[in-house]
Amino acid sequence: MNNSQTARRMQRVRPSPTATISDQVRELEAAGKAVINLGEGELDFATPASISYAGIEAIVQQQTKYTAVAGTAALKAAIAGKFARDNQLQFAPDEIIAGSGAKQLIFNALLATVDAGHQVIIPAPYWVSYPDMVTLAEGEPVIVPCTEADGWKLQPAQLAAALTSETRWVILNSPGNPTGAIYSAQELRALADVLSDHPHVLIMADDIYEPLRYDQTPFATFAEVAPQLAHRTLTVNGVSKSHAMTGWRLGYAAGPRWLIAAMQVLQSQSTSNASSIAQAAAVAALNQPADFLVGWLAKLEQRRNQVLAMIAATDGLSASAPQGAFYVFANCQGVMGRRTPGGEVISDDKALASWLLAEAQVAVLHGSAFGTPGYLRIAYAVDDSLLETACQRLLAACAKLR
């Protein structure tokens, strides 16, 4: 992007890699290619019918007008109920905001608080949008590499070393994208002990994958285990992943009044309220029992294990079993330096992802997009037969590398 009429900030930001791969897949499909997309962070399950009907009923009842910028009273009450029920957190209505996806709320929180020179600590591997959001807010992303040996989780000593007088935020994503890593309550408390000595630092808990957990792994959120820091913690969540509602565009966040008020001002001057119809559907989503999750998780665990079996059978690939979300973050360093049948060297994870798209017609995301070269993110929330075919194609394509 080099148009002289674009703002300078646009020279520092990249398009979303996940959106880019999805666009590439659509182009290949339009050209007649049978591409399987394992690069998109979206469940293939349908939005539960009762939730969809709540949206339809909202249309029938003419709930199609502007609402309060931060969300309807009914939605705020449902969000407060969710936090009290699931996380033992109590929030007043003016400590809650709903927006057009959790992504918008994360961006608004950063834009409302980060000035030029401020730093935001982002553990890697990270969700692809965090660094660019910080850059758009004129802040400095401080990337802290985490290791597979540490379960892909930020360690207290790493956090302490990264903190400075200019640190504005620490972002914690659990369960994590792209790794599925989940911070235990004990691990969060250890990070809170470090942050207790830095009262100028805010904490963002991105919990968007909260219910998508395997092997009975418990969940804890930062404000819950560190109530002494709740006054500087923003807890972000939504219905996209928990209820298969990505297209409804409805996220929510809760935190200190001053921060929610600032985010509301930004939202009032940009998108205004989230869709009134999506808000009504989200009320149903948050107030109804999530009985469907049992079947969803069983299906996702089966798919996770299928991908792990394919990786174990593929020379040069390895992976740890993720605790949550619906991605496997596979180590592909054993493939680096090998050649394709045409003589092309697989020099890095980007080259491997490109080769797999061209040869196997399977889209995966390279780890470099997440700040961790030498890995691939494989999303397995796709139809069973498609996933089986994709695994067979990936195994066969990697076997051709010498």
Side-chain angles (χ1 to χ4, degrees):
M1 187 182 298
N2 55 16
N3 190 311
S4 62
Q5 292 180 310
T6 60
R8 281 192 298 272
R9 72 177 66 90
M10 297 307 298
Q11 311 303 322
R12 303 192 301 270
V13 69
R14 58 181 179 163
S16 167
T18 48
T20 299
I21 194 70
S22 295
D23 288 343
Q24 289 176 347
V25 169
R26 293 184 188 101
E27 290 174 6
L28 289 167
E29 287 175 338
K33 303 292 186 182
V35 179
I36 300 175
N37 189 358
L38 304 187
E40 201 161 48
E42 183 173 54
L43 291 168
D44 67 315
F45 306 133
T47 302
S50 60
I51 298 170
S52 294
Y53 286 131
I56 294 170
E57 181 65 18
I59 297 172
V60 172
Q61 296 298 325
Q62 293 296 309
Q63 295 177 31
T64 55
K65 307 298 184 184
Y66 292 132
T67 74
V69 170
T72 63
L75 179 56
K76 286 191 173 187
I79 294 167
K82 178 263 179 273
F83 279 125
R85 179 179 64 248
D86 297 342
N87 311 113
Q88 292 71 57
L89 295 173
Q90 305 297 322
F91 292 106
D94 59 354
E95 296 173 314
I96 294 171
I97 187 170
S100 300
K103 190 172 191 175
Q104 182 204 2
L105 296 173
I106 294 169
F107 182 75
N108 286 355
L110 294 169
L111 199 62
T113 55
V114 173
D115 283 321
H118 279 154
Q119 299 171 345
V120 177
I121 294 174
I122 303 173
Y126 49 69
W127 177 47
V128 294
S129 292
Y130 292 144
D132 292 283
M133 286 180 173
V134 173
T135 299
L136 281 169
E138 300 187 352
E140 177 191 348
V142 177
I143 309 302
V144 180
C146 301
T147 67
E148 194 169 358
D150 286 329
W152 297 121
K153 289 178 275 192
L154 180 66
Q155 301 301 298
Q158 291 179 298
L159 175 59
L163 288 163
T164 74
S165 60
E166 297 301 321
T167 304
R168 191 62 168 146
W169 285 94
V170 175
I171 299 179
L172 300 173
N173 177 209
S174 174
N177 175 7
T179 66
I182 298 175
Y183 286 88
S184 69
Q186 182 179 357
E187 288 165 337
L188 291 175
R189 288 191 193 98
L191 296 176
D193 288 343
V194 175
L195 291 165
S196 294
D197 295 330
H198 299 269
H200 62 290
V201 178
L202 300 166
I203 302 97
M204 185 182 295
D206 181 354
D207 298 347
I208 193 70
Y209 293 93
E210 175 181 348
L212 302 181
R213 292 172 280 116
Y214 312 108
D215 310 319
Q216 299 183 316
T217 303
F219 177 80
T221 191
F222 192 88
E224 175 189 8
V225 303
Q228 73 279 14
L229 302 184
H231 66 287
R232 48 190 174 104
T233 300
L234 181 70
T235 306
V236 181
N237 214 314
V239 294
S240 291
K241 314 299 184 182
S242 59
H243 294 78
M245 294 175 68
T246 48
W248 295 82
R249 305 313 305 134
L250 199 291
Y252 54 88
R257 286 182 176 86
W258 68 267
L259 176 56
I260 299 300
M263 292 167 64
Q264 182 172 329
V265 169
L266 268 180
Q267 192 160 301
S268 74
Q269 296 292 5
S270 55
T271 59
S272 193
N273 60 273
S275 161
S276 59
I277 299 156
Q279 289 190 60
V283 170
L286 295 174
N287 283 341
Q288 296 173 4
D291 297 334
F292 54 87
L293 272 175
V294 174
W296 284 13
L297 288 171
K299 178 64 69 177
L300 288 172
E301 185 171 3
Q302 171 191 323
R303 293 170 176 175
R304 177 194 70 163
N305 294 341
Q306 185 174 358
V307 172
L308 289 171
M310 178 273 293
I311 290 170
T314 304
D315 181 42
L317 299 184
S318 64
S320 307
Q323 296 177 303
F326 41 81
Y327 313 107
V328 171
F329 202 54
N331 188 324
C332 62
Q333 293 166 49
V335 177
M336 299 302 96
R338 296 184 184 178
R339 292 183 180 273
T340 69
E344 176 188 354
V345 176
I346 301 297
S347 56
D348 55 23
D349 55 312
K350 295 180 184 179
L352 179 58
S354 295
W355 156 255
L356 293 174
L357 182 57
E359 174 66 21
Q361 295 184 9
V362 176
V364 297
L365 272 174
H366 51 84
S368 297
F370 306 93
T372 309
Y375 289 81
L376 297 175
R377 191 194 75 171
I378 302 172
Y380 52 82
V382 298
D383 176 80
D384 291 1
S385 61
L386 284 178
L387 185 63
E388 181 178 358
T389 300
C391 286
Q392 291 171 353
R393 290 184 187 178
L394 291 172
L395 182 59
C398 288
K400 293 180 181 179
L401 299 174
R402 292 288 181 267

